[in-house]
Amino acid sequence: MSAQPRRRSILLAAGAATAATAVGAVGAVPAAAAPGTSRPVVIGHRGAAGWRPEHTAAAYTYAVETGADWIEPDLVPTKDHVLVVRHENEISGTTDVAKHPEFADRRTTKTVDGRPVTGWFTEDFTLAELKTLRAVERLPLIRNRNTVFDGREPVMTFEEVVRLARELSRRHRRRIAVFPETKHPTYFRSIGLPLEPALARIVRHYRLDADECVVQSFEPSSLAAFAEERLRLPLWQALGTTGAPYDLVAAGDPTTYKDMMTPEGLRKIARYADWIGPDKSSVVEPFTLLADAHRAGLKVGAYTFRAENQYLPAQFRRGTNPNEFGDAFAEYALHFGRGVDAVVTDFPDVAVMARDSAEARD
């Protein structure tokens, strides 16, 4: 994949930009399944979220130790505008904040992306306050084995994830890329905490290049805003299965995710992005999405692969317990066989084994 992006926003062609070089600095560490190669990329979704509480150093480290090429941090800001990594800005399900009486009065209800959400929000805490919290397993009823790690690790900043990726690259002698997602960017822009400039500052400070960082968002305007920072990084347009990106909805644009996955919609995305990230079900149906995207010059990374029965297609489930593991290898084989360029997975170790098996058959 070329590191020269093709950026023109679906919204208004805002932020069309290519430009200044961001020089990478991991020395002589070789790239392994990095952006630009033909080997399918294995992306550790929030680290190795199937084995450790998500967005923790343990999750990211385990993902890389078991073969992940990229690690994915979701970005949300603190009150003092520091980017931290949490699945959502509401943190009652991923931290022990509810056990901290000193923060009881921070519990509130907000409207985020047009819907009410109740809980504790990162934007109401300084980084110092967030650092007093500890991460917990987000899906304790499904992944109860992960709860043994509850309370052991603090909330990480994006900078800490970048530094960890650099250290893991040196340790394992292969380049590990970070794959940040801007979460709720329209909402954060509306409250004076825009994500893109803060992300760009970190990219510049660490001189991240196209082999070390790919920026993703469900909102085209966020990718356009990042493009305005004139950094030479690949962009990834994430796609939902229903509805539309919130920024398009807020702007009165009728374009839906379904529209974006048509050949015409894919050609529009290719003007500003290098990748699309559809739900894995969209790669199976409609059957033409992969071919249409490749024809438009886009790479395709499908999400989110998990091993539990409830997340697998019916034909790959084993037994009746939704939380037991099914035949995840068969699902990977299906998608690798179809020609996906990347998989976003909670179980990167399983994905790597499946990729190795597919390559051995070839």
Side-chain angles (χ1 to χ4, degrees):
M1 178 186 63
S2 170
Q4 181 71 19
R6 305 169 296 281
R7 301 170 174 37
R8 193 166 301 275
S9 173
I10 283 180
L11 283 172
L12 291 172
T18 62
T21 301
V23 180
V26 193
V29 176
T37 68
S38 58
R39 192 184 197 201
V41 177
V42 171
I43 304 172
H45 185 231
R46 310 171 199 162
W51 299 120
R52 301 289 188 274
E54 64 192 34
H55 292 314
T56 59
Y60 292 126
T61 300
Y62 191 76
V64 174
E65 288 176 344
T66 56
D69 305 301
W70 306 359
I71 51 177
E72 187 220 26
D74 294 322
L75 307 183
V76 293
T78 65
K79 185 177 182 178
D80 41 352
H81 212 170
V82 177
L83 295 182
V84 294
V85 294
R86 290 287 90 194
H87 174 54
E88 295 288 343
N89 54 323
E90 199 288 296
I91 55 173
S92 62
T94 60
T95 73
D96 61 359
V97 63
K99 296 181 178 180
H100 286 251
E102 69 272 27
F103 298 136
D105 61 352
R106 305 278 179 96
R107 189 173 188 272
T108 187
T109 298
K110 300 188 178 192
T111 300
V112 180
D113 292 0
R115 63 184 184 88
V117 181
T118 299
W120 288 264
F121 298 83
T122 59
E123 64 267 28
D124 294 333
F125 292 78
T126 65
L127 178 61
E129 290 173 328
L130 279 181
K131 283 292 188 179
T132 67
L133 307 181
R134 292 296 178 266
V136 301
E137 170 57 41
R138 186 173 64 90
L139 302 172
L141 299 181
I142 299 173
R143 295 171 176 168
N144 67 316
R145 62 188 176 276
N146 292 1
T147 61
V148 69
F149 301 105
D150 284 359
R152 295 185 61 85
E153 296 201 52
V155 174
M156 296 184 75
T157 67
F158 178 51
E159 281 197 76
E160 289 171 334
V161 176
V162 171
R163 292 198 294 269
L164 177 62
R166 287 271 174 89
E167 171 56 31
L168 292 170
S169 294
R170 287 188 288 269
R171 187 185 309 171
H172 295 280
R173 299 292 302 164
R174 59 191 180 87
R175 185 167 298 183
I176 306 304
V178 291
F179 180 47
E181 178 185 348
T182 58
K183 301 290 289 191
H184 309 298
T186 294
Y187 165 75
F188 286 120
R189 203 174 299 123
S190 75
I191 62 172
L193 293 171
L195 301 173
E196 299 81 12
L199 172 57
R201 284 193 295 273
I202 295 170
V203 168
R204 288 193 179 96
H205 179 77
Y206 288 94
R207 303 170 71 193
L208 297 175
D209 66 12
D211 283 338
E212 285 188 285
C213 186
V214 177
V215 175
Q216 66 165 322
S217 185
F218 281 90
E219 297 190 13
S221 63
S222 182
L223 297 180
F226 186 78
E228 289 176 350
E229 298 288 341
R230 302 181 67 79
L231 293 163
R232 195 185 296 266
L233 293 181
L235 301 183
W236 171 305
Q237 176 64 63
L239 299 168
T241 54
T242 61
Y246 181 73
D247 57 342
L248 300 187
V249 173
D253 187 323
T255 303
T256 65
Y257 287 123
K258 183 177 179 180
D259 296 330
M260 295 171 77
M261 287 188 278
T262 64
E264 180 183 1
L266 293 167
R267 287 192 294 271
K268 290 180 179 178
I269 292 174
R271 296 173 190 166
Y272 65 90
D274 305 88
W275 290 77
I276 59 165
D279 181 273
K280 60 182 182 175
S281 64
S282 299
V283 178
V284 178
E285 179 65 45
F287 295 105
T288 62
L289 179 61
L290 265 170
D292 290 341
H294 287 160
R295 194 174 297 114
L298 293 162
K299 290 197 172 186
V300 179
Y303 71 87
T304 301
F305 289 81
R306 299 178 170 102
E308 295 93 351
N309 278 323
Q310 62 186 284
Y311 301 119
L312 292 169
Q315 67 268 32
F316 300 138
R317 296 171 189 165
R318 291 176 173 170
T320 58
N321 186 331
N323 299 329
E324 292 295 330
F325 286 2
D327 191 356
F329 286 103
E331 185 182 34
Y332 286 116
L334 171 66
H335 287 268
F336 287 140
R338 289 191 179 279
V340 296
D341 303 291
V343 292
V344 181
T345 174
D346 283 6
F347 296 89
D349 51 347
V350 181
V352 169
M353 292 176 68
R355 183 180 65 184
D356 290 347
S357 295
E359 291 174 346
R361 287 193 297 272
D362 293 342

